[in-house]
Amino acid sequence: MKVITKMIRAGLMLSLVTFFFNGLVKAQEVVQLTLEESIKYALENNVEAKNAQLEVLISKGVIGENRATGLPQINSTLEFTKNIQAPVLILPGETGEQIPGGGGGPGTDAPDDITVLPFAVNYQSSLTLSVEQMIFNGSYFIGLKAAKTLKALTEFDKEKTEADIIEATKKAYFTVLINKERKELVSANLIRIKELLKETEALYSEGFVEKLDVSRVKVQLNNLQSEFDKVEAAEEISKQVLKVQIGMPVNLEIDLGQSIADIHSLSELESLLSNPGYRRVEVDQINKNLDLAKLDLKNNQIQYMPDIAAFGTFQRVTGAQRFSTLGDPDRWFSSSFAGLRLNIPIFDGLRKSYKVQQNRVQIRQLENQKHFLEENIELERYQSNITLRNAIRTLNVQEENRELALEVFEMTKIKYQEGVGSNLEVVEADSALKEAETNYFSALYDALIAKVDLEKALGIL
């Protein structure tokens, strides 16, 4: 029995260890992200994207709310009253002689010249049912159109928000990629300089070079190490920025599933330069705002027309001097009525007239904004096209410079190893290579950002 118990305990311990180990492994898993996956994740989890989707739901609720005002409005009221001091009716004194129990005089608090009559019992209750139906109201039909227009506007707002998120996600993703490539390049440079330092120290020990030559290479190595630390920190920061941008928890580890070579294509960049562009959602937004302003104008103009509504009320009332008899069936009495209500506006101090004037000015403002927006879009397309064109040209030049600088460094290193070159030339060639690589990655980043800006200007994000 003891053996069996020990085996059970051992099995439980093994299960617990396996469980915690698997949990630890899962916690340390790295999320692989491509550019398309990052964009998809951002559109589902970014706070702005979520709020834009919620705004669409709100606009649907506004349509239902406006539609509901045209349906019958039915209300019921149940009241109960205990008259602590019953309301009274004051009449001339001679009236009390004709009404049993009426009058003032001896035994009452009222003067002799008036008659005070209570006209309520101790307990009262009523049940009322009222119905009202709008027959004609010009604002109702305009309100329905305005609610639908508002829904269309929120759809365009959502589209604009998504375009902004895609733009920011692409730029953040490209930043991580550039920093990752730079880190790998600086790491390769570190390996190269470490080899050079090892060779120089060997030559120094043989007496072929001076200690000054060794010091120069060490300085270069220290500078590269500092640069590597900066690039590594920049990569981590850019990853955090990307995670925040797409709405991913910052405690998760991510690794980009693509490289610059997978995304950067010179032919793709050049094809954008001949793209004529498509519609911009900003124009759709301002068009819907114009429609809303025109509907508001119509709404204020139609306020001069009368509105018609039908109404009806059914009521049951009861009363008693004692509470115990209040609910007796023979004490309930019914009353009902129905009718039409015609509301005719006559004069409101010119309030509606001033509102109409304001609407007309607002429409003119929106038309001016639309014209200005269309001109700005054309200017943005032209500027983005020129910027990308220049970025491509600069990128080609810097790529050639980097290849030349690498070639010069390799040749200078060979000359130094063969004893026909100086250590100073190698260090200078390495510095020139570092500068060329920095310029290349700067040009590559500018080209990628210019590509995103042109895609936005063309309306193809």
Side-chain angles (χ1 to χ4, degrees):
M1 189 69 181
K2 292 182 179 179
V3 174
I4 296 174
T5 305
K6 289 182 179 179
M7 291 177 64
I8 293 174
R9 288 179 179 175
L12 288 173
M13 290 296 296
L14 181 61
S15 299
L16 288 172
V17 170
T18 305
F19 173 78
F20 285 116
F21 178 76
N22 290 336
L24 182 61
V25 171
K26 289 181 179 179
Q28 293 176 347
E29 284 181 355
V30 178
V31 180
Q32 293 283 338
L33 287 176
T34 63
L35 178 59
E36 293 301 321
E37 289 170 346
S38 299
I39 292 173
K40 182 180 178 181
Y41 192 95
L43 294 178
E44 294 175 355
N45 297 278
N46 182 278
V47 174
E48 295 297 329
K50 290 180 179 179
N51 287 340
Q53 293 171 358
L54 294 176
E55 283 295 332
V56 174
L57 295 178
I58 291 174
S59 66
K60 291 180 181 179
V62 172
I63 292 177
E65 179 185 358
N66 281 272
R67 188 186 297 116
T69 59
L71 300 177
Q73 307 297 305
I74 304 174
N75 295 288
S76 178
T77 304
L78 176 63
E79 291 186 1
F80 170 77
T81 304
K82 169 64 173 79
N83 290 308
I84 299 174
Q85 289 183 319
V88 296
L89 181 65
I90 302 176
L91 299 174
E94 56 270 18
T95 307
E97 299 175 359
Q98 304 173 11
I99 302 175
T108 67
D109 294 333
D112 294 338
D113 59 338
I114 61 174
T115 298
V116 180
L117 297 175
F119 64 92
V121 293
N122 287 336
Y123 299 96
Q124 291 176 285
S125 183
S126 66
L127 176 62
T128 305
L129 181 68
S130 61
V131 180
E132 185 166 342
Q133 172 62 56
M134 180 187 68
I135 297 177
F136 174 78
N137 189 322
S139 295
Y140 171 72
F141 301 101
I142 294 176
L144 288 179
K145 291 181 181 179
K148 293 179 180 178
T149 305
L150 177 63
K151 181 179 179 297
L153 176 60
T154 56
E155 292 282 359
F156 288 132
D157 290 342
K158 175 175 173 287
E159 185 179 343
K160 175 64 169 60
T161 300
E162 289 177 346
D164 292 340
I165 291 171
I166 292 173
E167 177 192 4
T169 301
K170 281 189 171 185
K171 290 181 177 180
Y173 193 91
F174 292 154
T175 302
V176 178
L177 277 183
I178 292 293
N179 287 328
K180 181 181 179 182
E181 294 281 339
R182 285 184 61 197
K183 178 183 174 182
E184 293 175 357
L185 189 62
V186 174
S187 178
N189 289 344
L190 269 174
I191 295 173
R192 188 175 62 242
I193 291 298
K194 286 179 180 178
E195 291 177 354
L196 178 62
L197 177 61
K198 185 178 180 180
E199 293 172 0
T200 305
E201 287 176 340
L203 291 173
Y204 172 70
S205 63
E206 296 290 335
F208 293 107
V209 298
E210 300 177 359
K211 185 171 178 56
L212 178 63
D213 297 325
V214 177
S215 299
R216 284 182 184 142
V217 179
K218 284 184 176 179
V219 170
Q220 196 73 358
L221 178 62
N222 291 337
N223 290 338
L224 266 177
Q225 186 62 55
S226 298
E227 184 179 354
F228 179 81
D229 294 339
K230 291 179 181 178
V231 172
E232 189 174 40
E235 182 189 20
E236 290 303 317
I237 292 173
S238 59
K239 283 183 178 181
Q240 295 296 322
V241 172
L242 176 61
K243 285 188 283 187
V244 171
Q245 180 59 48
I246 66 177
M248 179 176 286
V250 293
N251 59 339
L252 290 180
E253 287 295 326
I254 64 171
D255 184 48
L256 304 194
Q258 291 177 292
S259 64
I260 288 292
D262 298 326
I263 295 176
H264 167 56
S265 170
L266 192 59
S267 59
E268 181 185 356
L269 294 179
E270 292 175 344
S271 66
L272 282 176
L273 299 175
S274 57
N275 193 313
Y278 301 90
R279 74 170 183 85
R280 289 279 294 270
V281 68
E282 292 91 337
V283 177
D284 295 327
Q285 285 177 304
I286 201 165
N287 282 336
K288 288 303 173 184
N289 279 312
L290 258 172
D291 293 342
L292 285 173
K294 290 176 181 178
L295 287 172
D296 194 21
L297 172 62
K298 289 182 180 180
N299 181 56
N300 286 323
Q301 289 174 332
I302 210 169
Q303 297 293 325
Y304 290 101
M305 298 183 65
D307 58 80
I308 305 173
F311 61 89
T313 298
F314 174 79
Q315 189 176 50
R316 292 275 287 173
V317 297
T318 183
Q321 288 295 97
R322 300 189 308 275
F323 180 78
S324 59
T325 60
L326 184 64
D328 293 349
D330 59 345
R331 292 180 178 273
W332 286 90
F333 303 94
S334 301
S335 65
S336 61
F337 60 87
L340 289 175
R341 183 185 302 112
L342 177 64
N343 183 28
I344 304 174
I346 297 176
F347 182 70
D348 62 353
L350 302 178
R351 181 176 59 88
K352 289 188 288 291
S353 175
Y354 290 126
K355 282 188 173 183
V356 168
Q357 292 178 24
Q358 293 176 46
N359 291 142
R360 287 173 176 160
V361 173
Q362 290 170 352
I363 290 173
R364 289 173 59 188
Q365 287 178 327
L366 288 170
E367 288 173 344
N368 291 337
Q369 290 177 13
K370 180 181 177 181
H371 178 69
F372 183 69
L373 174 64
E374 291 171 342
E375 289 185 338
N376 271 347
I377 288 174
E378 291 302 318
L379 176 61
E380 186 179 344
R381 287 176 176 173
Y382 175 77
Q383 288 179 332
S384 299
N385 188 289
I386 295 298
T387 301
L388 180 59
R389 195 181 300 273
N390 290 336
I392 292 173
R393 190 180 300 115
T394 302
L395 178 61
N396 290 332
V397 171
Q398 295 301 333
E399 187 173 11
E400 182 181 0
N401 286 345
R402 188 181 72 154
E403 293 173 355
L404 290 173
L406 180 59
E407 182 181 348
V408 169
F409 175 82
E410 294 296 340
M411 293 177 63
T412 305
K413 183 180 177 183
I414 292 172
K415 287 174 61 180
Y416 173 69
Q417 290 171 341
E418 293 179 352
V420 294
S422 67
N423 172 271
L424 180 60
E425 291 177 341
V426 177
V427 173
E428 289 178 348
D430 182 72
S431 298
L433 177 59
K434 283 172 50 183
E435 182 179 359
E437 289 170 344
T438 301
N439 292 339
Y440 168 74
F441 280 110
S442 177
L444 179 58
Y445 177 78
D446 291 342
L448 291 174
I449 297 303
K451 172 193 172 185
V452 176
D453 289 338
L454 182 56
E455 287 174 343
K456 178 184 176 183
L458 296 175
I460 59 176
L461 270 176

